[in-house]
């Protein structure tokens, strides 16, 4: 018995030593560098919280100038385009010589008969009389009247197509459908009249095409057609894997830049009216003597760096680009991994002031600035404004050679992207063939698939031809093919477009976005890592769910659509851009950082002393603090949990989101009502037109 306490004491000592040893080992492990499988403590360094651009203009960005930049003068660079082998002339962008018409080629369908001028004139006069009678009649609904009028227009478009634009202008003005000037802007041949002629000639005006056209012209004519049933039989080459899931992270992270909606305005005039009544301000206005009105002659003189109702002057464009490297903590030797640009290079001009040459100028100018300041490949897409006429793209299947009428644009951007070293010759050939879209695998192993989303944009009038087919252009067949190859090869994919597929459902068309939703469902979450859009100019997101969102929950959330903030302040927004922290194993996003410049301060700057300041706005992970695991990506499940928090916290988190939606602009509208909060959560969970239009309407934008 005398040995028992001694044995117990020995046991106690052993246990104490064991516990201490375990503690020491654990502490030692914590002190060691994190392994590749432990990503919870990784955060890439950034630069300072704010960066103030130096006074003056970085003239070295362009080799020569027609007009040198100054404290009261926007520059006019003399740009040589190596793809077209031309130097763009000064009068293309000179604010003193903004055109009121353009000389772009105008394309018409081949007439089905050869009419004499007399017979063609009589045909038009009869059509105008018959349409007037239909419109003024009382015996049918507005929708039926509209489709009957389209049927008359179709006859003229097929028999004498070149007469249609003037006929449309005359009808618009005689029936006082729009102001006279707007009738010309919408229906003149060089504006949209020739495009409307093509639509009338080839659309089924008595069916879905016609109802959609009438709804587009006015919601008072026909209601929005519902999404058509989609037969997915044979749509996908292979069934979705039963165990489809995202791959694990590598623990290695890189920095990726997201820029969107530059809307460069080389015709911006410092000191001009920034509070105008027209479509786009900060443009020259003249008195009766032909003198340009500036400074004391206007209500709100346009600052050198931009204003809320204006697009991006060169000074603001270069200020934003100069800020990227210092703010993101990158340099010439420690660069961004890659960049994405989600479209819209071109200013919000009237159609009469646009031309193919103006579009090409914008494409060269902006991509050249990207090449110099991003320091990494930039994967870009075309936006709805990046065409002439704006919004319009033609599917290859159009007859009479009309399927090639925009090949000038695809050839140009493909050449520029290849010239800049962003894509190879194979990618450039794809871009020429697929309307500016391509599929490339970058240096980190990520496959990037870009899309021309104007093929689901409701203002691309040529989409009104054969609307029962959700993929007339073949764009989404191309997407399926590339995604299937990626699945077979075990690749992860980012999809990049411009026009978003959902939110409130007012921008795109129902059938193509329904098809896109099914594609996302089929290839998520194992292939598609993220989807990116621009277009709205606001900071937003959408969530795609399994099974057409029939069950909206964290368990069914598949993929996120990130909608990037714009550089342009148009309208009533600040200027901003974003950087992602991306894992190179699963290519998920682990944090996102957004910066902005306060446009309200631009008018107080002395441009001879200082430029504007771009400052840190927010970290996505820290701002939406929902207790998310530090080693988990900001994926669709994360964003669904954010929407749940918004539903539960009585408006606090929604208030933060709404402020950030407008890039902290003091001109942006708020979201104080319960109705607004419910609507926005619904938008966030809506990745298609069908889902978005089912949400309460009227709360989608903070621009006012």
């Amino acid at each position: 018995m005398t040995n028992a306490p001694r044995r117990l004491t020995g046991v106690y000592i052993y246990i104490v030593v064991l516990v201490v040893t375990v503690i020491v080992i654990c502490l030692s492990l914590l002190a060691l560098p994190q392994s590749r499988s432990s990503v919870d403590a990784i955060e890439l360094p950034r630069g300072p919280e704010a960066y103030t651009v130096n006074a003056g203009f970085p003239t070295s960005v362009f080799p020569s100038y027609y007009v040198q930049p100054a404290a009261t003068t926007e520059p006019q660079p003399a740009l040589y385009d190596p793809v077209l082998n031309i130097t763009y002339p000064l009068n293309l962008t000179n604010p003193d010589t903004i055109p009121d018409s353009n000389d772009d080629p105008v394309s018409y369908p081949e007439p089905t008969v050869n009419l004499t001028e007399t017979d063609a004139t009589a045909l038009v006069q009869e059509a105008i009389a018959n349409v007037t009678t239909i419109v003024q009649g009382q015996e049918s609904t507005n929708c039926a009247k509209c489709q009957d009028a389209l049927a008359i227009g179709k006859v003229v478009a097929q028999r004498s197509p070149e007469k249609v634009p003037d006929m449309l202008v005359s009808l618009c003005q005689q029936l006082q459908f729009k102001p006279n000037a707007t009738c010309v802007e919408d229906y003149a041949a060089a504006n949209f009249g020739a495009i409307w002629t093509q639509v009338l000639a080839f659309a089924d005006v008595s069916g879905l095409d016609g109802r959609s056209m009438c709804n587009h012209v006015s919601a008072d004519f026909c209601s929005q057609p519902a999404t058509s049933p989609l037969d997915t039989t044979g749509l996908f080459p292979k069934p979705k894997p039963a165990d489809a899931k995202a791959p694990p992270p590598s623990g290695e992270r890189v920095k990726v830049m997201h820029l969107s909606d530059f809307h460069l305005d080389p015709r911006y005039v410092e000191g001009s009216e920034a509070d105008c009544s027209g479509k786009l301000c900060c443009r020259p206005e003249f008195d009766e003597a032909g003198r340009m009105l500036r400074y004391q002659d206007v209500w709100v003189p346009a600052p050198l760096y931009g204003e809320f109702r204006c697009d991006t002057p060169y000074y603001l464009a270069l200020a934003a680009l100069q800020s990227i490297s210092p703010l993101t903590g990158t340099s010439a030797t420690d660069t961004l991994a890659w960049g994405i640009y989600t479209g819209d290079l071109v200013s919000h001009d009237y159609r009469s002031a646009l031309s193919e040459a103006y579009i090409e100028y914008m494409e060269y100018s902006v991509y050249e600035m990207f090449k110099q300041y991003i320091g990494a490949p930039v994967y870009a897409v075309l936006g709805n404004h990046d065409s002439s006429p704006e919004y319009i793209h033609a599917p290859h299947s159009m007859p009479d050679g009309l399927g090639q009428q925009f090949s000038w644009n695809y050839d140009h951007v493909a050449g520029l992207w290849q010239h800049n070293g962003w894509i190879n010759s194979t990618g450039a050939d794809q871009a020429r063939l697929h309307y500016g879209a391509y599929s490339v695998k970058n240096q980190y192993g990520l496959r990037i698939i870009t899309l021309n989303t104007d093929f689901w944009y409701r203002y691309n009038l040529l989409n009104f031809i054969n609307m029962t087919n959700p993929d007339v252009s073949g764009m989404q067949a191309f997407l399926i093919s590339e995604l299937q190859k990626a699945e077979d090869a075990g690749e992860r994919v980012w999809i990049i477009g411009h026009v978003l597929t959902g939110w409130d459902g007012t921008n795109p068309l129902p059938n193509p976005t329904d098809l896109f939703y099914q594609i996302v469902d089929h290839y998520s979450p194992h292939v598609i890592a993220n989807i990116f859009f621009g277009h709205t100019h606001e900071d937003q997101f959408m969530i795609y769910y399994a099974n057409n969102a029939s069950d909206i929950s964290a368990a069914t959330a598949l993929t996120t659509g990130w909608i990037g903030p714009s550089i342009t302040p148009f309208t009533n927004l600040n200027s901003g851009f974003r950087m992602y922290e991306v894992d190179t194993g699963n290519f998920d996003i682990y944090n996102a950082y957004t910066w902005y410049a306060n446009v309200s301060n631009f008018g107080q700057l002395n441009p001879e002393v200082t430029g504007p300041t771009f400052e840190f706005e927010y970290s996505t992970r820290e701002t939406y603090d929902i207790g998310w695991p530090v080693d988990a990506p900001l994926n669709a499940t994360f964003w669904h949990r954010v929407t749940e928090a918004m539903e539960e916290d009585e408006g606090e988190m929604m208030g933060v989101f709404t402020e950030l939606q407008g890039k902290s602009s003091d001109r942006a509208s708020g979201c104080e009502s319960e109705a607004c909060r419910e609507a926005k959560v619904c938008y966030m969970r809506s990745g298609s037109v069908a889902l978005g239009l089912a949400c309460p309407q009227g709360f989608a934008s903070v621009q006012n």
Side-chain angles (χ1 to χ4, degrees), residues 74 260-270 272-276 278-283 302-317 341 343-350 354 358 362 366 385-386 390 535-537 566-575 599 602 663 703:
E74 295 287 338
S260 196
D261 294 85
F262 245 65
H263 290 287
L264 180 68
D265 187 4
R267 296 162 171 165
Y268 185 104
V269 175
E270 188 270 348
S272 62
E273 182 58 75
D275 189 20
C276 68
K279 180 179 181 181
L280 181 64
C281 302
C282 303
R283 289 296 187 78
L304 187 68
Y305 287 94
E307 243 286 341
F308 285 111
R309 296 195 59 199
C310 312
D311 270 328
T312 305
Y314 266 115
Y315 268 93
L316 175 57
Y341 182 70
D344 268 5
L345 308 162
V346 181
S347 51
H348 291 85
D349 271 280
Y350 288 104
L354 299 172
Y358 189 70
M362 293 291 197
V366 176
H385 286 276
D386 302 334
E390 59 186 348
H535 186 61
T536 67
H537 300 185
S566 66
I567 294 294
T568 183
F570 189 85
T571 304
N572 289 330
L573 301 171
N574 283 326
S575 179
V599 177
F602 287 1
K663 292 165 281 182
Q703 300 172 58

Side-chain angles (χ1 to χ4, degrees), residues 277-613:
S277 58
K279 180 179 181 181
L280 181 64
C281 302
C282 303
R283 289 296 187 78
E285 297 180 5
F286 301 90
D287 62 16
E288 295 180 355
R291 183 178 63 90
M292 185 183 291
L293 302 177
R294 296 177 76 184
Y295 307 123
Q296 70 273 11
D297 300 321
V298 301
W299 288 103
V300 180
L304 187 68
Y305 287 94
E307 243 286 341
F308 285 111
R309 296 195 59 199
C310 312
D311 270 328
T312 305
Y314 266 115
Y315 268 93
L316 175 57
L318 269 301
L321 291 172
Q322 289 177 89
S323 301
I324 288 174
S325 179
L327 289 173
T328 59
T330 55
S331 65
T333 57
D334 184 18
T335 66
L336 294 159
W338 68 88
I340 61 173
Y341 182 70
T342 45
D344 268 5
L345 308 162
V346 181
S347 51
H348 291 85
D349 271 280
Y350 288 104
R351 170 68 194 122
S352 56
L354 299 172
S355 63
E356 292 178 9
Y358 189 70
I359 306 302
E360 290 167 335
Y361 170 98
M362 293 291 197
E363 290 166 346
Y364 174 76
S365 178
V366 176
Y367 295 149
E368 180 65 18
M369 290 188 285
F370 287 176
K371 183 178 73 173
Q372 296 197 38
Y373 283 95
I374 302 301
V378 177
Y379 302 104
V381 300
L382 291 173
N384 59 293
H385 286 276
D386 302 334
S387 185
S388 181
E390 59 186 348
Y391 321 142
I392 309 300
H393 295 266
H396 294 322
S397 58
M398 286 191 69
D400 302 339
L402 295 172
Q404 303 302 317
Q405 60 188 304
F406 297 100
S407 60
W408 60 270
N409 202 7
Y410 315 136
D411 291 345
H412 186 238
V413 293
L416 289 175
W417 296 334
Q418 184 179 0
H419 177 79
N420 287 351
W422 300 342
I423 61 176
N424 58 23
S425 60
T426 302
D429 288 343
Q430 283 185 330
R432 293 183 180 96
L433 176 63
H434 295 293
Y435 319 98
Y438 55 87
S439 171
V440 296
K441 187 175 180 179
N442 76 2
Q443 71 272 36
Y444 291 91
L446 172 68
R447 180 155 299 278
I448 294 174
I449 304 175
T450 69
L451 301 176
N452 185 333
T453 55
D454 279 348
F455 286 107
W456 60 56
Y457 188 43
R458 70 187 306 264
Y459 290 98
N460 179 5
L461 303 177
L462 296 178
N463 286 337
F464 293 130
I465 300 171
N466 194 12
M467 293 196 71
T468 55
N469 181 350
D471 189 29
V472 175
S473 68
M475 176 65 57
Q476 302 203 61
F478 166 70
L479 175 62
I480 292 172
S481 174
E482 293 301 315
L483 286 171
Q484 188 58 57
K485 292 176 186 176
E487 182 181 85
D488 294 342
E491 297 172 345
R492 290 283 272 171
V493 170
W494 280 14
I495 298 174
I496 304 174
H498 177 69
V499 178
L500 58 166
T501 56
W503 192 248
D504 67 334
T506 58
N507 278 285
L509 294 169
N511 290 350
T513 61
D514 180 42
L515 172 58
F516 182 79
Y517 207 106
Q518 312 317 311
I519 295 171
V520 171
D521 187 344
H522 189 83
Y523 291 102
S524 298
H526 58 305
V527 178
I528 301 172
N530 287 285
I531 305 170
F532 303 89
F533 300 109
H535 186 61
T536 67
H537 300 185
E538 300 178 13
D539 184 343
Q540 300 159 305
F541 67 90
M542 299 181 304
I543 307 165
Y544 297 86
Y545 297 88
N547 300 317
N548 222 28
S550 56
D551 172 22
I552 294 178
S553 67
T556 62
L558 291 176
T559 308
T560 305
W562 299 77
I563 303 165
S566 66
I567 294 294
T568 183
F570 189 85
T571 304
N572 289 330
L573 301 171
N574 283 326
S575 179
F577 54 82
R578 176 181 294 146
M579 182 188 78
Y580 301 109
E581 280 189 8
V582 180
D583 183 272
T584 58
N586 55 21
F587 295 101
D588 279 334
I589 292 168
Y590 282 79
N591 209 343
Y593 306 100
T594 306
W595 292 267
Y596 76 104
N598 190 341
V599 177
S600 293
N601 294 337
F602 287 1
Q604 286 73 54
L605 292 176
N606 181 346
E608 295 182 336
V609 176
T610 183
T613 297

Side-chain angles (χ1 to χ4, degrees), residues 237-254:
K238 297 179 180 179
K240 183 174 181 176
D243 59 344
K245 60 183 179 180
S250 69
E252 300 290 338
R253 294 192 191 168
V254 293

